[in-house]
Amino acid sequence: MHTEIEADMEVIMTWRNSARHPSGSGARERINLKVGSQLNFGISSSSGEFQPGATPSIGAFEVSEHHLLLSNFTSSTTFVIENLEGGTELVKARSRQLDMVIPFEISRILIPCAESMIEVTVFTPPPHLLGSDQATTVPDSALSKLDMTSKYFAVLVALCEPRLRGSSMAAVPSVQQVVERLRGVEQFRDASRSSINYHIDYLAEQKLPVSQWAKYMDEGRMHSKREALVAFSLRFDLVREEHLGLLPDLKRSRVQRH
């Protein structure tokens, strides 16, 4: 099933331009593309930053009727496309690859260059969804086994939080960090390392098939239960950005720790 981009919808791209906005690190450039549009881009010779229409072109975006496509014109540089809503999801546009479909609704394109990492954020229209009354439920799925009001699910969300907040390279929290992160929740007022470890063991051994999944990943080795739980949960959307509301306010939590 294709994710069709309707003719009156737009794809939005934003990127930082420190040359034009030297005093505002958060200032961003923006361009909107409609169906049928193509945007060649390169690297500015003066600033070393992303530049639409630069010559020579290192790549191009094209908005087709069904997809946003990315082409990589370089001879040896891989572009990485990260899903900003999926924690660790990413795909790669290898050198000389043409018309690659960008599968994410909100993505970050990363292009390594000599002096910095070029970053472009891309927003595409929401995908078409099957009606809830037409959708099929997988019997006894991993998600159906999770009680989102339980303490173990809050532990799972705390483990996934750093990667859910946009960094696929973020380290998985230690058990002690989970204890500190959940202290603002009434249920975890007396939490300890041993109690958090109990929930981690319960998730890994009773609720989620991470050991079975590990057979298909890295030759069956599961280096860390915490790492395996996070990787499994994010890959299969068992923990999503909306679940972060189960955790204490992040700013208040940081203040309390200090």
Side-chain angles (χ1 to χ4, degrees), residues 19 43-49 51 115:
I43 300 173
S44 168
S45 58
S46 58
S47 65
E49 297 182 323
Q51 182 179 359
E115 298 181 359

Side-chain angles (χ1 to χ4, degrees), residues 12 16 30 62 83 86 90 94 107 117 164 172 189 221 223-225 230 232 240 243 247 255:
I12 301 171
R16 289 189 178 89
R30 168 176 168 160
E62 181 179 353
N83 181 5
L90 60 84
R94 292 179 171 82
S107 55
M117 182 72 70
L164 272 176
V172 174
R189 177 174 294 179
R221 292 189 294 271
H223 300 293
S224 160
K225 287 182 182 179
V230 170
F232 182 89
R240 303 181 295 277
H243 295 133
L247 303 178
V255 170

Side-chain angles (χ1 to χ4, degrees), residues 125-214:
H128 292 281
L129 299 177
L130 190 67
S132 57
D133 57 334
Q134 300 173 293
T136 303
T137 301
V138 177
D140 203 25
S141 69
L143 182 58
S144 68
K145 291 183 178 181
L146 293 177
D147 178 0
M148 297 181 190
T149 65
S150 66
K151 295 177 73 172
Y152 68 73
F153 190 75
V155 171
L156 185 58
V157 174
L159 287 171
C160 294
E161 181 182 27
R163 294 187 183 178
L164 272 176
R165 292 196 181 277
S167 175
S168 60
M169 300 298 291
V172 174
S174 67
V175 173
Q176 184 59 39
Q177 286 173 323
V178 173
V179 171
E180 295 171 359
R181 183 70 182 94
L182 292 173
R183 276 205 177 121
V185 179
E186 179 63 28
Q187 290 177 299
F188 290 92
R189 177 174 294 179
D190 299 321
S192 64
R193 289 171 57 90
S194 61
S195 66
I196 296 301
N197 268 320
Y198 169 82
H199 292 301
I200 290 172
D201 288 342
Y202 180 67
L203 282 162
E205 296 167 11
Q206 302 294 326
K207 302 302 291 185
L208 299 178
V210 291
S211 59
Q212 181 181 358
W213 176 64

